[in-house]
Amino acid sequence: MKRASATTIERVRKICLAFPDTFEKLSHGEPTWFCGGGKGHVFAMLSNNHHDDGNIAVVCNAPEGAQAALIEAEPEHIYRPPYVGASGWIGVRLDTGLDWKMIAGLIEQAYETTMERGRLARSRRPSRPATTPATGRDARSLRARGPRS
């Protein structure tokens, strides 16, 4: 059974954890890297022959529209992964001789894309209504109904 070496996994880990505000945890049995604080947002995950698919890869977020161009330019190194591929993510094979500078650049792009999408999502979120210190209830509802007795 084909598997990534400990050296390969450590190399990907080192790249992913070099970015600010990142952390790693297992997800679906694979090392997965998150950014953005709190629970975080996934920007990259290892695919270590996951479900015996034959891929030793890092699966990562990609900018909108980049997936097709990257696969067309490097079909032996980059593929459309199952599940997240429908959302534009890419699989970057780690065992086909792709230059590690390019792998690191694609992971960095995944990090930046994820952080930017997180910033956009936060900016579009409606602001929370003000609460009154005494009750912790929504101040707008108090004005509309008046205080409870």
Side-chain angles (χ1 to χ4, degrees):
M1 179 161 80
K2 186 171 148 177
R3 302 290 289 177
S5 71
T7 303
T8 297
I9 295 169
E10 192 54 40
R11 203 165 185 181
V12 172
R13 177 175 287 127
K14 185 176 180 181
I15 293 167
C16 291
L17 293 177
F19 303 112
D21 201 19
T22 60
F23 62 94
E24 176 183 334
K25 67 180 184 178
L26 284 179
S27 179
H28 300 86
E30 302 281 11
T32 304
W33 294 276
F34 297 77
C35 63
K39 291 182 181 179
H41 302 280
V42 175
F43 72 95
M45 62 189 104
L46 192 70
S47 180
N48 198 359
N49 197 18
H50 197 72
H51 298 303
D52 297 322
D53 67 2
N55 291 310
I56 307 300
V58 61
V59 174
C60 50
N61 200 349
E64 190 173 325
Q67 182 192 65
L70 288 165
I71 292 170
E72 185 177 328
E74 299 284 347
E76 67 280 3
H77 302 299
I78 300 174
Y79 67 98
R80 184 177 191 250
Y83 310 110
V84 294
S87 297
W89 285 49
I90 57 171
V92 182
R93 291 187 177 94
L94 303 172
D95 60 348
T96 58
L98 186 61
D99 183 80
W100 276 93
K101 286 182 183 178
M102 183 162 180
I103 293 168
L106 290 167
I107 294 171
E108 180 176 13
Q109 185 175 331
Y111 169 82
E112 290 171 353
T113 299
T114 304
M115 289 296 282
E116 182 59 30
R117 287 181 184 160
R119 280 190 286 275
L120 286 173
R122 284 189 299 279
S123 71
R124 291 181 184 146
R125 226 180 266 154
S127 61
R128 296 185 98 152
T131 58
T132 61
T135 65
R137 291 179 24 224
D138 179 350
R140 289 181 298 194
S141 67
L142 290 175
R143 283 191 296 271
R145 294 190 328 245
R148 290 184 185 174
S149 316

